[in-house]
Amino acid sequence: MLICLLIGSLHNGFAQTFSVEQVQSDFRFLRRMLEEAHPSMDWYTPKDSMDRAFEQVFRQLNRPLSEKELFYLWAPLIAKINCGHTYLIHSQQFDAQKDDTAWLPFQSQIIGNQLFVKALGKNCSDTTLVRGTEILQVNDIPMTRIIETARQHCQADGYNQTFKDYFLGFYRLEETLNDFFGIKAPYRLLVKAPLGEIRESTVFSKHIPQPNVPQPTLSKQEIQNREKEALEKLRSFKLLPQAPETLLMTCNGFRYDDFKAFDQRVFQTIRTQKVKNLIIDLRNNPGGDTSNGDDILRYLLTKPIYNFLTCDSPVNQLFFAKQVAPAPKDHLFNPKELKKLPNGKYRRIVDGAEWLTPHPQLHFSGQVYVLISGVTFSAGAILASLLKAHTNAVFIGQETGGGEGGCSGGLTSKVILPHTQLVVNFPHFRLETNTQAPNVGRGVMPHYPIHYTAQDIASGRDPELEKAIELILGK
């Protein structure tokens, strides 16, 4: 029902509107692209259900429409596929007209249908918004309604909700406030402090003029130090003094090229320091190169396995190749990297399914604990799934954002629709993870679920790490 009501409820978008012929042409292009080349259109949503949704939306393309109106018609339609790597993005022209002050001047965290302040931005106009403050209303609209509306335009693997809430905090919340509800900064908030006081607050990002002074030229050593700091934010490891014989390995995204050398240092340290407990923190790992996770797995496996059961595309040619945005050569769909299967699909033979063998010298046989959250997605969730299926790992936190049974991905393209210039993030391969668990459309579930409270956020606690240490100490 929501799709039918969207157009009438939207505020005016930017000036450009598209003719009936243009929007219908782009819609046919979109539908053909999804039905012909998407690897998992019917993985979670039956074809007849998608057919009805397509037809319902097409009936509303009977008058000129703005990009904003089209976005709020097509985004929930695409989200119905239940694929976390398939989603709609505004055109470059639309985003170029966005006001940078539209962002909420604080980091937020969603718990259920509630929104809490996690950390203030340095330019926040109201510095009294302490960590753990709940946002009850924005411009008299209940936050529960804003969150529920935003979720309907967010993608996820299967029936997952934790990943949606991560995306809301990332940018979808402001997008919904600005474009769907027509609310702009300054935002008029009704807030509830951690101790219970309810009051009003007006927030915006203060403009702080930057002095017009030339930036000093960095030395080679200073550049290297900055690069090292950035790398350490992506991956690091340390021994935990509060838990004997325990090492914490943090992987905040699989986007570092030195993963083999890094992993070797980690497990060499485990060997020399006689570590018995390994904690792998994947809570802020939205994915990247699956090779990073595969290499970690090799140190923990007791026998060889395949990482994926499938890495398959329904096509070996893209009719929409000319609409794919420019990308590095190794990030483009390449028919030469495919092999036709007896079932008519095409398997990727480059960067596809890999045979993983245990590391010959530095195998770790101690206890593994894995910290997970809704941010744990794509390659991060794939590693979590394989760890759960093939090691003794104990999981702590929240359901992963990525599906335990796999995802559509492996390689994604940005496809620009011909007339409207709206962009579709489009995955090319169906990756089924080598796990014994039946695929029920959910992420990896924790053995020890962690449910945050406002007090946890206010105090800056780390309940997942605390639980791991508690289990290690046998408390």
Short mmCIF file of all heavy atoms in Angstrom, two decimals, residues 398-425:
data_model
loop_
_atom_site.label_atom_id
_atom_site.label_comp_id
_atom_site.label_asym_id
_atom_site.label_seq_id
_atom_site.Cartn_x
_atom_site.Cartn_y
_atom_site.Cartn_z
N GLN A 398 25.14 -8.96 17.62
CA GLN A 398 23.84 -8.93 16.94
C GLN A 398 23.94 -9.72 15.63
O GLN A 398 25.03 -9.98 15.13
CB GLN A 398 23.41 -7.49 16.63
CG GLN A 398 23.25 -6.60 17.86
CD GLN A 398 24.56 -5.95 18.26
OE1 GLN A 398 25.32 -5.50 17.43
NE2 GLN A 398 24.83 -5.92 19.57
N GLU A 399 22.80 -10.08 15.09
CA GLU A 399 22.74 -10.76 13.79
C GLU A 399 23.55 -9.97 12.75
O GLU A 399 23.43 -8.75 12.67
CB GLU A 399 21.29 -10.86 13.33
CG GLU A 399 21.09 -11.44 11.94
CD GLU A 399 19.63 -11.39 11.49
OE1 GLU A 399 18.78 -10.89 12.26
OE2 GLU A 399 19.35 -11.85 10.36
N THR A 400 24.36 -10.68 11.97
CA THR A 400 25.13 -9.99 10.93
C THR A 400 24.21 -9.38 9.89
O THR A 400 23.12 -9.90 9.60
CB THR A 400 26.11 -10.95 10.23
OG1 THR A 400 25.38 -12.00 9.59
CG2 THR A 400 27.11 -11.52 11.20
N GLY A 401 24.66 -8.28 9.29
CA GLY A 401 23.88 -7.66 8.23
C GLY A 401 23.87 -8.49 6.97
O GLY A 401 22.92 -8.47 6.20
N GLY A 402 24.95 -9.24 6.71
CA GLY A 402 25.01 -10.11 5.54
C GLY A 402 24.42 -11.47 5.82
O GLY A 402 24.44 -11.96 6.95
N GLY A 403 23.87 -12.11 4.80
CA GLY A 403 23.19 -13.38 4.95
C GLY A 403 24.13 -14.52 5.26
O GLY A 403 25.22 -14.61 4.69
N GLU A 404 23.72 -15.42 6.15
CA GLU A 404 24.54 -16.59 6.47
C GLU A 404 24.66 -17.51 5.26
O GLU A 404 25.69 -18.14 5.04
CB GLU A 404 23.94 -17.36 7.65
CG GLU A 404 24.77 -18.56 8.07
CD GLU A 404 24.27 -19.21 9.35
OE1 GLU A 404 23.19 -18.82 9.85
OE2 GLU A 404 24.96 -20.12 9.85
N GLY A 405 23.60 -17.60 4.45
CA GLY A 405 23.61 -18.49 3.30
C GLY A 405 24.33 -17.93 2.09
O GLY A 405 24.54 -18.64 1.11
N GLY A 406 24.73 -16.65 2.15
CA GLY A 406 25.42 -16.04 1.03
C GLY A 406 24.79 -14.74 0.61
O GLY A 406 23.96 -14.17 1.33
N CYS A 407 25.17 -14.27 -0.56
CA CYS A 407 24.66 -12.98 -1.04
C CYS A 407 24.85 -12.92 -2.55
O CYS A 407 25.47 -13.78 -3.16
CB CYS A 407 25.41 -11.83 -0.37
SG CYS A 407 27.18 -11.73 -0.79
N SER A 408 24.31 -11.87 -3.13
CA SER A 408 24.61 -11.56 -4.53
C SER A 408 25.69 -10.49 -4.53
O SER A 408 25.52 -9.45 -3.89
CB SER A 408 23.36 -11.07 -5.26
OG SER A 408 22.42 -12.11 -5.36
N GLY A 409 26.78 -10.75 -5.20
CA GLY A 409 27.89 -9.81 -5.17
C GLY A 409 29.04 -10.33 -5.99
O GLY A 409 28.87 -10.65 -7.16
N GLY A 410 30.21 -10.46 -5.36
CA GLY A 410 31.39 -10.90 -6.09
C GLY A 410 31.96 -9.80 -6.95
O GLY A 410 33.15 -9.55 -6.96
N LEU A 411 31.08 -9.12 -7.67
CA LEU A 411 31.42 -8.00 -8.52
C LEU A 411 30.16 -7.17 -8.68
O LEU A 411 29.09 -7.72 -8.95
CB LEU A 411 31.92 -8.49 -9.88
CG LEU A 411 32.29 -7.42 -10.91
CD1 LEU A 411 33.62 -6.76 -10.52
CD2 LEU A 411 32.41 -8.04 -12.30
N THR A 412 30.25 -5.88 -8.47
CA THR A 412 29.09 -5.01 -8.64
C THR A 412 29.40 -3.88 -9.60
O THR A 412 30.56 -3.47 -9.75
CB THR A 412 28.62 -4.41 -7.29
OG1 THR A 412 29.68 -3.62 -6.75
CG2 THR A 412 28.23 -5.49 -6.31
N SER A 413 28.35 -3.40 -10.26
CA SER A 413 28.48 -2.27 -11.18
C SER A 413 27.51 -1.17 -10.78
O SER A 413 26.47 -1.44 -10.17
CB SER A 413 28.17 -2.71 -12.62
OG SER A 413 29.10 -3.66 -13.08
N LYS A 414 27.86 0.05 -11.15
CA LYS A 414 26.94 1.18 -11.05
C LYS A 414 26.33 1.37 -12.44
O LYS A 414 27.02 1.74 -13.39
CB LYS A 414 27.67 2.44 -10.60
CG LYS A 414 28.26 2.37 -9.19
CD LYS A 414 27.18 2.44 -8.15
CE LYS A 414 27.73 2.65 -6.74
NZ LYS A 414 28.56 1.54 -6.25
N VAL A 415 25.02 1.10 -12.55
CA VAL A 415 24.34 1.20 -13.84
C VAL A 415 23.51 2.48 -13.86
O VAL A 415 22.65 2.69 -12.99
CB VAL A 415 23.43 -0.02 -14.09
CG1 VAL A 415 22.81 0.06 -15.48
CG2 VAL A 415 24.22 -1.32 -13.93
N ILE A 416 23.76 3.34 -14.84
CA ILE A 416 23.10 4.64 -14.94
C ILE A 416 21.91 4.52 -15.88
O ILE A 416 22.08 4.19 -17.06
CB ILE A 416 24.08 5.72 -15.44
CG1 ILE A 416 25.30 5.79 -14.52
CG2 ILE A 416 23.39 7.08 -15.51
CD1 ILE A 416 26.42 6.64 -15.07
N LEU A 417 20.70 4.77 -15.38
CA LEU A 417 19.52 4.66 -16.23
C LEU A 417 19.56 5.75 -17.30
O LEU A 417 19.91 6.91 -17.01
CB LEU A 417 18.25 4.77 -15.38
CG LEU A 417 18.11 3.69 -14.29
CD1 LEU A 417 16.77 3.82 -13.58
CD2 LEU A 417 18.27 2.30 -14.85
N PRO A 418 19.20 5.43 -18.53
CA PRO A 418 19.46 6.33 -19.68
C PRO A 418 18.87 7.72 -19.58
O PRO A 418 19.53 8.70 -19.92
CB PRO A 418 18.87 5.55 -20.86
CG PRO A 418 18.88 4.12 -20.44
CD PRO A 418 18.65 4.13 -18.96
N HIS A 419 17.62 7.84 -19.15
CA HIS A 419 16.95 9.15 -19.18
C HIS A 419 17.04 9.89 -17.85
O HIS A 419 17.40 11.07 -17.82
CB HIS A 419 15.48 8.97 -19.58
CG HIS A 419 15.29 8.40 -20.95
ND1 HIS A 419 15.60 9.09 -22.10
CD2 HIS A 419 14.83 7.19 -21.36
CE1 HIS A 419 15.34 8.34 -23.16
NE2 HIS A 419 14.87 7.17 -22.73
N THR A 420 16.71 9.23 -16.78
CA THR A 420 16.65 9.89 -15.47
C THR A 420 18.02 10.03 -14.83
O THR A 420 18.20 10.85 -13.92
CB THR A 420 15.73 9.11 -14.52
OG1 THR A 420 16.29 7.80 -14.31
CG2 THR A 420 14.34 8.99 -15.11
N GLN A 421 18.99 9.21 -15.24
CA GLN A 421 20.34 9.18 -14.68
C GLN A 421 20.37 8.67 -13.24
O GLN A 421 21.40 8.78 -12.55
CB GLN A 421 21.00 10.58 -14.75
CG GLN A 421 21.11 11.14 -16.15
CD GLN A 421 22.06 10.32 -17.03
OE1 GLN A 421 23.27 10.35 -16.82
NE2 GLN A 421 21.52 9.62 -18.01
N LEU A 422 19.26 8.14 -12.75
CA LEU A 422 19.29 7.41 -11.48
C LEU A 422 20.25 6.23 -11.64
O LEU A 422 20.42 5.69 -12.73
CB LEU A 422 17.89 6.93 -11.10
CG LEU A 422 16.94 7.97 -10.50
CD1 LEU A 422 15.50 7.50 -10.63
CD2 LEU A 422 17.29 8.21 -9.03
N VAL A 423 20.86 5.84 -10.53
CA VAL A 423 21.91 4.82 -10.57
C VAL A 423 21.46 3.60 -9.78
O VAL A 423 20.92 3.72 -8.68
CB VAL A 423 23.24 5.36 -9.99
CG1 VAL A 423 24.33 4.29 -10.05
CG2 VAL A 423 23.67 6.61 -10.73
N VAL A 424 21.70 2.42 -10.35
CA VAL A 424 21.40 1.16 -9.67
C VAL A 424 22.72 0.48 -9.32
O VAL A 424 23.55 0.24 -10.21
CB VAL A 424 20.54 0.23 -10.54
CG1 VAL A 424 20.25 -1.08 -9.79
CG2 VAL A 424 19.24 0.92 -10.94
N ASN A 425 22.92 0.20 -8.04
CA ASN A 425 24.05 -0.66 -7.65
C ASN A 425 23.65 -2.09 -7.95
O ASN A 425 22.66 -2.60 -7.41
CB ASN A 425 24.38 -0.49 -6.18
CG ASN A 425 25.74 -1.06 -5.83
OD1 ASN A 425 26.76 -0.45 -6.12
ND2 ASN A 425 25.77 -2.24 -5.23
#
